[in-house]
Amino acid sequence: MTAPAATATAALALGDDALVLAQRLGEWAGNAPVLEEDVALTNIALDLLGQARTLLSLVGDEDELAFRREAHQFRNVQLVERPNGDFADTIARQLCFSVYQELLYGALAGGGSELAPLAAKAVREVAYHRDHAEQWTLRLGDGTEESHRRMQRALEELWPCTGELFDPLEGLAVELPALRGAWLERIGAVLARATLALPQGSDRTAWSAGGGRQGVHTEAFGRLLAEMQYLHRAHPGATW
Amino acid sequence: MTTTATATGTAATAQAATAEDIGTLTAAFDAAVADEVRIEPRDWMPDAYRETLVRQMAQHAHSEIIGMQPEANWITRAPSLRRKAILMAKVQDEAGHGLYLYSATETLGVSRDDLLDKLHAGRQRYSSIFNYPTLTWADVGAIGWLVDGAAITNQVPLCRCSYGPYARAMVRICKEESFHQRQGYELLLALSRGTPEQHAMAQDAVDRWWWPSLMMFGPPDDESAHSAQSTAWRIKRHSNDELRRRFVDICVPQAEILGLTLPDPDLRWNEERGGYDHGPIDWTEFREVLRGNGPCNRERLERRRSAHEKGAWVREAAAAYAAKHSPRREKHRPERPEERHERQEESA
């Protein structure tokens, strides 16, 4: 089933978000602070990969789209392509993104668009991801002095990438700018419980604000794709 | 059914037991094991039985954890999204198997933290197989087919092992492992029937993983240090060589279906025995790998230690948070400001 053009634009953007974050989380396998986190992070990666496959399949062949596009053809937000950093960086990224996804899929599931069935399934997974991120935000924020400092720093560094999440997205049956208030409220509430401060700086990067959705990405993204795509590209036409 | 009936209340009496009592307890234990009665955590057991199980089960748990590395090495490079998802699910299962096995080992009175410390210090082992590198995508398939296949051949008899918690863990683990093994086989089949380059990649992987997989069954029977006692205790049910032969017999026809060869010129059907004879195994290489001199020993252990050390601040944060928010202090109500103040003074 291929979606109409406008929906395809939205499906591609949301699919790329999920694919790229799954790729990042996949890097954690075997490297987590405790075994339970190896399970949890891989589990979340697997959910996101499942979402990506469903969304990309609405647009075309999932493998063609994942492995044969150039960086500038990807439509994911820059937030998801940010390197894992330390555990606090990863959790800050998970918190911001899972709250966003929960709001987005929640709104989408209630509407009548082609993406509603997918959103209805994904919103349950995403609620679990959000809970995981929240629980860790509380533990890192209200844990030790060091964990508090690391979590605060991670949030400050991530913040300039959060504005892009709410730029209007063509073909999406949800008004993204309208979700920003609820998102900020939820993030603010979690951070307050975690004794963390809501970052005060701009939620936009200097020159590439909104870049990801237009195909403008970060340096790290090129390397992510080089690694992800090399084998598929080395064997054109092969099936796996 | 457990041995509780034959050894009721033995935990308390064992401490003050005389040599005579120990003799009686041992006799009852041996009789229970001989009757195929499952031994459970609260039953009396000989110290040496406990130690053997801790050693074997910890090594088994460690193998699951270290075993994540060679496969996780390919998660970010898997050539299709379907294969990537399968591989992620597999590595996740391995972490889960490690958790089951650490829990089962803890029933013997040791702690997971202590076992991990021993692994990190190189004082407890893991399977020699995970010291080999995954150099191509086909290695992921070869690990599924051969390494998981050898593990299953080894582990299915453990589902009937005399120690209950271990046997039950193995039942769950073997189900998932069989699934992984079929997926690995299917991956190799796709490569073998793919382009000439893919076929060559599959053959190369099988060439590199075949002998190390045969080594997974351990040293030959006449050199196996723990075998006799483990067999008597019904922890082990078949000899190393017996299981190895069983594995070879299963693999030969599977390799034919795959359209791949096994790298052993001496491999041939033995009409008399009704099984395959294989060529000599390089036991020098096996001993070198066990001694820490395999291709990836240092790297694997270093990665594990590094993950643990880099994660220390996260575990400390979780512990500090749990201490502050223990249910006794804060059950179903938020902390009042004055309590918070007290808490900060306490910790200062």
Side-chain angles (χ1 to χ4, degrees):
Chain A
M1 174 181 93
T2 309
T7 309
T9 305
L12 189 66
L14 301 184
D16 285 350
D17 284 350
L19 174 64
V20 172
L21 189 53
Q23 179 76 4
R24 279 294 183 220
L25 292 177
E27 295 170 12
W28 270 106
N31 295 307
V34 284
L35 284 174
E36 284 82 352
E37 278 308 294
D38 273 313
V39 178
L41 293 174
T42 313
N43 202 336
I44 295 168
L46 206 46
D47 286 345
L48 289 167
L49 187 56
Q51 292 168 18
R53 295 181 66 191
T54 308
L55 285 159
L56 294 182
S57 297
L58 292 174
V59 181
D61 178 89
E62 60 176 31
D63 287 335
E64 281 287 310
L65 289 165
F67 296 102
R68 304 208 55 93
R69 273 182 299 158
E70 304 286 336
H72 68 87
Q73 295 170 305
F74 276 80
R75 290 292 176 266
N76 57 285
V77 289
Q78 291 181 1
L79 182 129
V80 295
E81 72 198 40
R82 288 174 61 88
N84 287 335
D86 70 8
F87 192 68
D89 289 310
T90 291
I91 292 300
R93 191 182 62 198
Q94 282 305 111
L95 179 71
C96 291
F97 191 71
S98 59
V99 171
Y100 166 75
Q101 265 196 322
E102 194 179 14
L103 289 167
L104 168 55
Y105 284 144
L108 207 50
S113 83
E114 290 96 332
L115 301 182
L118 157 98
K121 176 176 181 287
V123 77
R124 287 195 299 273
E125 297 170 350
V126 168
Y128 160 79
H129 305 171
R130 190 256 309 140
D131 183 51
H132 172 264
E134 268 185 22
Q135 294 300 326
W136 272 115
T137 302
L138 294 174
R139 276 153 189 77
L140 298 185
D142 195 13
T144 64
E145 240 175 71
E146 184 187 8
S147 68
H148 180 91
R149 179 180 56 74
R150 285 186 189 240
M151 191 63 200
Q152 189 67 53
R153 181 200 49 78
L155 288 161
E156 305 287 347
E157 286 192 11
L158 184 73
W159 205 250
C161 291
T162 57
E164 187 188 1
L165 296 169
F166 303 100
D167 288 343
L169 182 55
E170 189 198 332
L172 189 68
V174 171
E175 289 299 322
L176 284 176
L179 297 182
R180 189 168 180 279
W183 180 84
L184 207 53
E185 201 174 302
R186 290 195 191 187
I187 297 283
V190 178
L191 296 190
R193 282 177 63 205
T195 72
L196 292 160
L198 196 68
Q200 294 304 308
S202 165
D203 65 2
R204 299 279 166 180
T205 52
W207 71 278
S208 56
R213 295 274 187 246
Q214 270 80 53
V216 178
H217 293 280
T218 56
E219 283 186 347
F221 188 56
R223 287 190 295 277
L224 178 147
L225 283 191
E227 185 172 337
M228 184 172 90
Q229 296 180 335
Y230 105 89
L231 182 58
H232 188 96
R233 283 182 180 272
H235 296 267
T239 50
W240 301 93
Chain B
M1 182 176 168
T2 76
T3 56
T4 312
T6 54
T8 308
T10 49
T13 47
Q15 283 166 10
T18 62
E20 205 175 325
D21 292 333
I22 297 281
T24 313
L25 289 167
T26 307
F29 175 85
D30 289 344
V33 167
D35 282 351
E36 301 276 340
V37 172
R38 283 274 167 85
I39 309 300
E40 295 299 335
R42 294 170 67 183
D43 295 335
W44 184 88
M45 62 187 82
D47 288 346
Y49 176 82
R50 189 183 297 275
E51 281 158 24
T52 294
L53 278 172
V54 168
R55 179 180 51 78
Q56 182 174 339
M57 291 166 73
Q59 174 170 333
H60 198 159
H62 298 333
S63 301
E64 296 283 356
I65 301 313
I66 298 281
M68 293 165 72
Q69 289 182 36
E71 294 177 283
N73 185 36
W74 281 90
I75 285 180
T76 55
R77 293 176 288 170
S80 75
L81 296 186
R82 174 171 164 264
R83 294 289 179 197
K84 191 192 288 285
I86 291 172
L87 185 56
M88 275 183 182
K90 181 178 181 189
V91 172
Q92 187 194 10
D93 280 349
E94 280 159 5
H97 295 172
L99 288 170
Y100 290 163
L101 284 163
Y102 284 123
S103 295
T105 317
E106 285 186 325
T107 64
L108 292 162
V110 293
S111 75
R112 195 220 290 188
D113 287 348
D114 190 43
L115 298 176
L116 281 172
D117 286 346
K118 288 196 169 103
L119 168 66
H120 297 155
R123 287 192 287 132
Q124 281 179 343
R125 282 177 173 162
Y126 55 87
S127 177
S128 61
I129 194 79
F130 300 119
N131 293 309
Y132 289 87
T134 46
L135 302 178
T136 72
W137 169 249
D139 289 30
V140 171
I143 288 180
W145 177 41
L146 296 174
V147 176
D148 293 343
I152 293 164
T153 309
N154 260 328
Q155 289 170 10
V156 164
L158 283 173
C159 296
R160 293 185 296 127
C161 127
S162 59
Y163 189 56
Y166 195 20
R168 289 189 289 274
M170 291 324 304
V171 171
R172 295 184 67 174
I173 289 172
C174 283
K175 279 183 198 159
E176 294 181 349
E177 293 289 4
S178 309
F179 191 58
H180 298 159
Q181 198 224 0
R182 285 202 295 277
Q183 288 173 325
Y185 188 80
E186 192 257 334
L187 190 165
L188 280 184
L189 194 62
L191 292 180
S192 176
R193 294 180 178 175
T195 65
E197 291 80 9
Q198 285 177 305
H199 182 91
M201 193 192 281
Q203 183 63 60
D204 165 66
V206 169
D207 289 348
R208 281 182 290 107
W209 288 92
W210 173 248
W211 292 108
S213 300
L214 292 195
M215 294 178 197
M216 286 175 71
F217 296 93
D221 291 347
D222 49 7
E223 292 170 30
S224 181
H226 306 289
S227 280
Q229 184 60 75
S230 289
T231 306
W233 278 331
R234 310 254 165 139
I235 296 171
K236 200 177 175 113
R237 301 211 163 235
H238 310 279
S239 82
N240 293 353
D241 288 334
E242 203 179 322
L243 289 171
R244 189 165 16 239
R245 278 195 296 270
R246 187 179 292 179
F247 177 67
V248 172
D249 288 347
I250 294 169
C251 286
V252 172
Q254 290 179 342
E256 280 166 16
I257 296 169
L258 280 176
L260 299 172
T261 59
L262 296 171
D264 180 358
D266 297 328
L267 191 67
R268 58 181 55 87
W269 178 253
N270 180 329
E271 192 66 53
E272 220 172 288
R273 206 168 51 74
Y276 286 89
D277 290 335
H278 60 79
I281 291 172
D282 184 353
W283 294 114
T284 311
E285 175 179 317
F286 178 68
R287 281 188 293 270
E288 279 303 304
V289 176
L290 280 191
R291 215 173 273 151
N293 300 324
C296 298
N297 296 57
R298 276 162 233 277
E299 206 176 319
R300 300 286 187 244
L301 208 51
E302 188 42 44
R303 167 67 71 86
R304 188 83 265 301
R305 276 195 211 111
S306 152
H308 191 72
E309 282 163 19
K310 280 186 192 148
W313 70 271
V314 177
R315 295 190 299 276
E316 283 159 18
Y321 180 86
K324 286 184 213 176
H325 298 269
S326 70
R328 236 181 340 165
R329 184 185 278 271
E330 191 187 45
K331 201 169 190 178
H332 307 306
R333 67 172 171 81
E335 195 176 33
R336 292 194 304 271
E338 64 272 26
E339 284 176 327
R340 182 174 169 73
H341 187 65
E342 281 166 20
R343 196 185 74 210
Q344 282 167 343
E345 279 182 346
E346 272 168 30
S347 62

